[in-house]
Amino acid sequence: MARQPAAALLLGGIVIPVLEEVLFRGVLLQGLLRNKKPWVAIGQQALLFGLIHFNPAQSVGAFLIGLLLGWLCYRTGSLLPGIGIHALNNLGAFGLLIWLPKVADGRTSLPELLGSNWAYAGLVTLAAAVLAGLLWRVSLLALPAAWASTPNSPEPDPKN
């Protein structure tokens, strides 16, 4: 992979996230939402998203991000937030593999690389605060009309 970093970043960081979001949130989630309650549909597509990664250690994280991305797709009615987050996640992972192989293979840690546990804790806290703020903002959005008019929607149809 290190021989072709641009190709790896393009494929793993852009192409794969777009294809996975279209398949899992665009096709699978939307199909499940026609017959299932939203949290059941989101959970089922996230479980399949985790299982398709085949690596047990990666599957747990993929399941959790599948829940987040499924909820974002459901709340916004768009694949774009999920594609953006998925691409950032993959670009970060591929970036570690390419430019920081000692961190990627466990020979050193990010706190050691940053020079302090406090710097690492600050970055994690900042990332968590930004994510919490975005999730809070998205949770205030009304459901898109397409979801609100489905039989299993938690919100009433805006046409009534």
Side-chain angles (χ1 to χ4, degrees):
M1 182 184 326
R3 291 187 212 172
Q4 300 292 332
L9 287 173
L10 179 65
L11 182 64
I14 306 296
V15 174
I16 290 173
V18 170
L19 293 175
E20 286 183 344
E21 289 307 307
V22 168
L23 176 64
F24 284 94
R25 266 56 79 181
V27 175
L28 184 61
L29 178 60
Q30 289 182 28
L32 288 168
L33 283 168
R34 289 188 193 115
N35 300 312
K36 308 261 185 223
K37 293 185 185 281
W39 281 109
V40 172
I42 292 167
Q44 287 177 339
Q45 66 78 35
L47 181 62
L48 288 172
F49 184 67
L51 291 174
I52 201 73
H53 285 84
F54 299 117
N55 175 348
Q58 189 181 14
S59 292
V60 173
F63 168 73
L64 294 173
I65 202 165
L67 287 174
L68 171 66
L69 298 178
W71 179 79
L72 280 172
C73 178
Y74 177 70
R75 288 303 299 183
T76 65
S78 173
L79 294 176
L80 293 179
I83 289 171
I85 290 171
H86 197 150
L88 282 173
N89 179 69
N90 284 20
L91 286 168
F94 279 92
L96 279 177
L97 288 172
I98 292 167
W99 291 294
L100 300 173
K102 287 182 179 179
V103 174
D105 68 13
R107 289 182 282 161
T108 189
S109 67
L110 280 175
E112 289 173 332
L113 190 66
L114 293 172
S116 123
N117 285 335
W118 289 107
Y120 179 70
L123 284 175
V124 170
T125 301
L126 177 62
V130 168
L131 180 61
L134 290 172
L135 293 176
W136 175 75
R137 180 87 170 128
V138 168
S139 71
L140 297 177
L141 296 174
L143 279 177
W147 297 138
S149 62
T150 59
N152 294 315
S153 175
E155 294 185 16
D157 189 339
K159 296 177 210 162
N160 293 334

